Amino acid sequence: MRWFGPGDPVRLSDIRQAGCSGVVTALHHIPPGNVWPPEEIDERRRLIRAAGMEWTVVESLPVHEDIKRQTGNGKRYIQNYQESLRNLAAAGLQVITYNFMPVLDWLRTDIHYRMPDGSLGLYFRKIALVAFDLFLLKRPDAEKEYGAGEIARAAQHLKNMSAEEQTDLYRSTLLGLPGSKEAFTATQVLNALETYRHIDAKELKGHLFYFLEQVIPIAEQLGLKLAIHPDDPPFPVLGLPRIVSTESDLKEILSAIPSPANGLCFCTGSLGVRAENDLAGMMQRLGSRIYFLHLRNITRDADGNFYEADHLSGDVDMYSVMKEAKMLMRRENRSIPMRPDHGHQMLDDLNKETYPGYSAIGRLRGLAELRGLEAGIT
Ligand code: DNO
């Protein structure tokens, strides 16, 4: 399970009682771009060991925006990244997760979506994002990216929302990075979006490949595996380019830098939002470079909306995914770390403050179900 560190309301003892032996974490308090010092890595590892578990997967070692844009101090941040990799390898870490999504990590328009059973889940509604973009954030020139019908529907959508719902949409969408309790301000996001205005998908891909050329040889020497997380949602948002959304994106990334250290974090919830992403088939075809599994389910509709469903129900065929994962591990005689990605806020957690998607009980339910599925398949 993922743990956000000592400030996480979910304790390590809770994670242990969920039946986990491994913990996924990161030094969230260190700003992106800075080196992760050996003492801090050791201290985090010590805490996890003291709770009877191991830290083997880093999620995430963030890539600074200057690296993604190739601006400012990008070169120095790459050197820092290399140094963090050295420090992590020295502490016995094996898998390093990262993403190359500009500005915002995952994005939802409603983080309190009430499920029929009363639990709360995360929802992405496309028209709500359009309304946010045009009328709340007021991104300059945003209207050029939408059709007249879409703009009218977005205006109507906003009109139908109460003031409270509008505030909620605003807050959900500007939510800060995972592991942070602070939301971005609109000005921060607008300024950051502006810096990507002239960077299209092709250029961003070039920047990713350059970054990989600089870090993968070092990771390979150190015996580390880098695992890129797909875009979430896997299509452009707020005018930002997306380059890790489809099977062909993943193939291109893997073949651009063909080292075994250049691999994937296979997130079924992110990739599953595109109906054409054949998850089990992708696992067959790309499996040898998958180093980390995020198992999450979603229910999507034809308009690009989706909500995070229970782990075993939804549009992701979790049985086929798990079966492929088991066959892959058997074929290659290795074990791939996996975690239940997100969970509904439910039971006692409804009265607690939790990180969206990362309350304890919902993830425990997901983990238990996935584990049962895995045992059955085995
Ligand atoms: C969402 C997570 C992502 C992931 C990063 C990896 O809950 O799966 O935020 O940690 O994208 O860099």
Side-chain angles (χ1 to χ4, degrees):
M1 267 198 192
R2 187 179 199 178
W3 184 55
F4 287 113
D8 193 330
V10 179
R11 294 162 303 181
L12 281 172
S13 54
D14 301 333
I15 295 182
R16 176 104 192 259
Q17 285 173 22
C20 297
S21 54
V23 174
V24 174
T25 191
L27 304 181
H28 292 281
H29 57 284
I30 300 185
N34 289 20
V35 175
W36 287 15
E39 318 75 70
E40 298 229 25
I41 297 171
D42 286 348
E43 173 56 12
R44 182 57 60 88
R45 189 181 52 165
R46 191 192 62 73
L47 284 176
I48 295 172
R49 282 208 176 140
M53 294 173 289
E54 275 299 327
W55 178 23
T56 48
V57 177
V58 172
E59 179 176 354
S60 308
L61 182 58
V63 178
H64 194 279
E65 295 298 313
D66 274 357
I67 301 179
K68 296 181 203 160
R69 287 183 304 236
Q70 289 197 350
T71 51
N73 293 323
K75 291 231 157 91
R76 186 163 62 80
Y77 290 133
I78 290 184
Q79 286 166 7
N80 289 354
Y81 206 93
Q82 295 166 335
E83 198 174 331
S84 295
L85 291 179
R86 288 192 192 94
N87 296 344
L88 287 164
L93 272 296
Q94 293 159 11
V95 177
I96 315 294
T97 316
Y98 68 101
N99 72 73
F100 221 76
M101 290 178 249
V103 187
L104 301 159
D105 197 317
W106 59 277
L107 187 110
R108 301 287 183 270
T109 55
D110 184 359
I111 57 166
H112 304 113
Y113 178 66
R114 197 164 284 282
M115 310 296 295
D117 65 6
S119 64
L120 301 177
L122 309 182
Y123 202 110
F124 179 89
R125 193 184 299 279
K126 228 172 186 174
I127 205 68
L129 186 70
V130 178
F132 167 79
D133 194 8
L134 293 170
F135 309 120
L136 299 180
L137 185 65
K138 302 193 174 82
R139 178 168 61 95
D141 291 337
E143 63 285 353
K144 291 188 185 150
E145 285 159 40
Y146 305 112
E150 208 170 18
I151 295 178
R153 278 201 309 282
Q156 190 57 45
H157 183 78
L158 197 76
K159 228 169 143 190
N160 294 343
M161 290 174 99
S162 64
E164 200 186 322
E165 285 168 338
Q166 288 190 17
T167 312
D168 217 47
L169 167 63
Y170 195 81
R171 287 217 187 104
S172 298
T173 314
L174 288 181
L175 201 72
L177 298 175
S180 134
K181 285 188 180 137
E182 281 168 38
F184 290 109
T185 64
T187 316
Q188 275 171 331
V189 168
L190 282 173
N191 289 342
L193 293 176
E194 180 60 30
T195 64
Y196 279 91
R197 209 193 250 256
H198 302 292
I199 302 182
D200 62 8
K202 188 158 174 266
E203 187 173 345
L204 186 66
K205 222 169 229 180
H207 296 179
L208 169 63
F209 295 169
Y210 176 79
F211 166 70
L212 291 174
E213 278 159 12
Q214 308 305 308
V215 296
I216 290 294
I218 292 173
E220 188 173 333
Q221 270 168 21
L222 295 167
L224 291 174
K225 307 287 189 216
L226 259 62
I228 193 166
H229 188 283
D231 302 324
D232 184 4
F235 41 73
V237 287
L238 305 176
L240 291 167
R242 293 294 218 194
I243 55 172
V244 196
S245 299
T246 63
E247 179 165 2
S248 71
D249 287 338
L250 299 180
K251 279 191 173 146
E252 207 182 330
I253 293 166
L254 295 179
S255 56
I257 290 89
S259 155
N262 178 26
L264 308 174
C265 166
F266 197 83
C267 176
T268 60
S270 305
L271 294 166
V273 164
R274 290 180 85 111
E276 77 272 22
N277 280 339
D278 155 28
L279 299 175
M282 286 163 79
M283 287 187 84
Q284 266 170 25
R285 293 182 286 276
L286 310 171
S288 60
R289 306 276 283 280
I290 293 177
Y291 300 128
F292 188 23
L293 289 167
H294 280 184
L295 300 179
R296 175 160 62 82
N297 218 321
I298 46 91
T299 298
R300 55 174 186 253
D301 67 22
D303 297 330
N305 307 315
F306 63 90
Y307 64 87
E308 301 193 0
D310 289 321
H311 287 77
L312 298 192
S313 51
D315 290 316
V316 171
D317 176 358
M318 203 55 87
Y319 165 75
S320 304
V321 166
M322 184 66 90
K323 190 165 155 219
E324 262 329 306
K326 294 299 291 178
M327 293 200 297
L328 169 64
M329 289 191 264
R330 183 177 292 185
R331 201 164 57 238
E332 299 193 355
N333 193 24
R334 66 186 172 112
S335 131
I336 304 177
M338 55 173 101
R339 69 172 182 82
D341 194 24
H342 303 182
H344 292 163
Q345 194 177 347
M346 58 171 67
L347 305 172
D348 275 358
D349 280 344
L350 286 168
N351 308 314
K352 292 182 192 159
E353 206 197 319
T354 59
Y355 289 115
Y358 288 94
S359 52
I361 303 172
R363 284 187 296 155
L364 171 63
R365 172 178 168 178
L367 178 64
E369 292 181 349
L370 290 166
R371 220 190 242 131
L373 178 63
E374 185 186 8
I377 290 172
T378 306

